[in-house]
Amino acid sequence: MPVSKIFLIYTGGTIGMNRNPETRALEPFDFEHLLSRVPELEQLPTEIATYQFNPPIDSSDMSPRLWTELVHIISDHYEQYDGFVVLHGTDTMAYTASALSFMLQNLTKPVILTGSQLPIGQLRTDGKENLITSIEIAAAKHQDGTAVVPEVCVYFSGHLMRGNRTTKQSADEFNAFESFNYPHLADAGVQITYHEEFIHKPNFAKPMTPHFKLDSNVIIFSLFPGVREDLIRHIIATPNLRSIVMRTFGSGNAPQSPWLIGALKQGTNAGKVIVNISQCMQGCVEMSRYDTGYQLKEAGVVSGRDSTVEAAVTKLMFLQGKYENNEQVRKLMNQSICGEMGDRN
């Protein structure tokens, strides 16, 4: 089988940082310097080409504009390479992975996002293993030449996860990410074990279609005991706001305050799309389980089922960029586009 060609994109993040000897703060350094810290890459039976964001982006500054730039980079090089590895800061990696999963329609090649909790130059860094294994996974092919993992993924600390199912779970542990509501696509120990039954199967005969337009007129708010009516009404009435991700309790429950149900109903009647996402890390929104959830359903709130907040927000941006009609957005928020949510319940 021919040697795989991998395109490595460095956006920024801890993996490519050095500690300033005076301030002790982490600062980005040159990408070529990063690669020189990983001589093991020369042992991989893979051709690697590189692209660097200049200047590197702190992941806290990631934005829809930069997601569009990433999609342009991947689509411009799509035919020349067998897979893509994106080095990215951890703070917003799950948002970027989710956004790319929607923007790269009918993806037939791996796009693996990874990074590290410690800079690659430090002795105990997790960056080397994350980078090397991500490249191995991006290069993996079946006997027929098709990619083993043809979807957007996050690889971290031995686990390969579907990108739009992934959430950052720890700021301190090497095991920084988890996909709480979907099984791992692969686990890397002595061998890399792929769980084929969970990996997306695209139509390899169809071309990948990139999408470049996003509409970020969306906001997230969390309910909590004592949430104020005036503030919620102010958010819902915000001009130009097209959609809201509302983080509720448990399986999608909210306070039974008449003002809250009335405000939500007023928002949906005005055309806003309000999506119900649980504050729990694991589990599913089921608005028919309790009366409090049923009232939200009656107010026109859409169930986000077992979606992550990151997937719900980026999916809304994607759909709003594609459709001016919010009813179409509402309809598609009830459907899984690329494995971001489970079956209807």
Side-chain angles (χ1 to χ4, degrees):
M1 191 174 292
V3 171
S4 291
K5 296 181 179 180
I6 301 302
F7 199 61
L8 178 62
I9 304 167
Y10 174 60
T11 68
T14 299
I15 193 168
M17 290 188 172
N18 259 342
R19 195 172 294 281
N20 185 308
E22 295 181 5
T23 66
R24 306 303 297 163
L26 291 175
E27 298 175 343
F29 63 93
D30 185 74
F31 186 42
E32 293 303 319
H33 187 45
L34 182 154
L35 293 176
S36 71
R37 300 294 182 97
V38 197
E40 296 90 341
L41 291 178
E42 294 182 6
Q43 300 177 37
L44 292 174
T46 307
E47 291 183 19
I48 302 172
T50 61
Y51 181 95
Q52 177 181 4
F53 275 43
N54 191 16
I57 307 299
D58 186 291
S59 72
S60 299
D61 293 322
M62 194 52 66
S63 67
R65 178 185 64 80
L66 293 170
W67 293 335
T68 298
E69 185 175 339
L70 262 175
V71 171
H72 275 291
I73 294 166
I74 292 170
S75 61
D76 288 347
H77 296 87
Y78 194 75
E79 297 305 323
Q80 299 126 268
Y81 295 93
D82 300 298
F84 300 83
V85 174
V86 180
L87 297 180
H88 195 290
T90 58
D91 286 348
T92 58
M93 187 183 293
Y95 285 96
T96 298
S98 295
L100 293 182
S101 74
F102 299 117
M103 298 171 77
L104 298 168
Q105 184 180 345
N106 195 50
L107 184 66
T108 57
K109 298 179 181 182
V111 175
I112 313 296
L113 282 82
T114 194
S116 67
Q117 295 284 64
L118 286 175
I120 207 158
Q122 290 194 12
L123 188 62
R124 294 183 54 250
T125 184
D126 54 328
K128 282 191 177 184
E129 192 278 324
N130 286 347
L131 173 56
I132 292 167
T133 306
S134 293
I135 291 172
E136 282 197 60
I137 291 170
K141 296 179 183 178
H142 291 117
Q143 287 297 317
D144 64 359
T146 58
V148 173
V149 189
E151 58 175 293
V152 179
C153 303
V154 168
Y155 177 80
F156 233 86
S157 192
H159 305 306
L160 183 72
M161 296 154 279
R162 176 165 291 167
N164 58 33
R165 292 293 197 131
T166 307
T167 294
K168 186 175 181 182
Q169 67 169 352
S170 175
D172 299 316
E173 296 178 3
F174 286 154
N175 189 23
F177 290 88
E178 189 53 86
S179 56
F180 291 98
N181 287 323
Y182 198 78
H184 295 163
L185 305 185
D187 293 294
V190 174
Q191 302 288 334
I192 300 175
T193 303
Y194 294 97
H195 308 300
E196 297 268 2
E197 65 273 28
F198 302 124
I199 297 172
H200 179 64
K201 307 295 189 297
N203 184 342
F204 288 97
K206 286 186 176 181
M208 188 275 289
T209 304
H211 296 271
F212 304 109
K213 189 177 179 182
L214 297 169
D215 180 346
S216 58
N217 283 305
V218 55
I219 198 167
I220 304 167
F221 71 73
S222 294
L223 296 178
F224 56 91
V227 63
R228 284 181 47 165
E229 176 180 357
D230 57 335
L231 298 180
I232 294 297
R233 286 192 180 277
H234 182 73
I235 291 170
I236 292 174
T238 301
N240 300 322
L241 181 67
R242 292 184 63 184
S243 59
I244 296 166
V245 174
M246 181 174 64
R247 301 183 69 234
T248 56
F249 308 129
S251 57
N253 302 310
Q256 297 188 62
S257 307
W259 69 260
L260 177 61
I261 302 302
L264 294 172
K265 189 175 292 187
Q266 185 177 356
T268 57
N269 288 342
K272 290 181 170 64
V273 180
I274 303 174
V275 182
N276 187 349
I277 298 290
S278 175
Q279 294 178 28
C280 299
M281 299 290 275
Q282 192 165 15
C284 186
V285 166
E286 298 182 61
M287 291 196 292
S288 299
R289 179 181 289 185
Y290 299 102
D291 184 55
T292 51
Y294 185 78
Q295 289 185 42
L296 296 180
K297 189 175 181 180
E298 288 292 291
V301 174
V302 178
S303 173
R305 306 213 286 277
D306 59 352
S307 295
T308 63
V309 169
E310 296 92 335
V313 168
T314 54
K315 183 177 179 180
L316 283 165
M317 290 184 186
F318 167 71
L319 292 175
Q320 289 173 177
K322 195 173 181 181
Y323 303 103
E324 292 186 7
N325 184 343
N326 272 14
E327 280 307 308
Q328 184 68 12
V329 174
R330 182 191 306 276
K331 177 182 176 182
L332 290 170
M333 285 303 294
N334 261 317
Q335 301 174 20
S336 179
I337 296 176
C338 50
E340 75 281 0
M341 60 167 60
D343 295 332
R344 186 184 303 276
N345 55 62

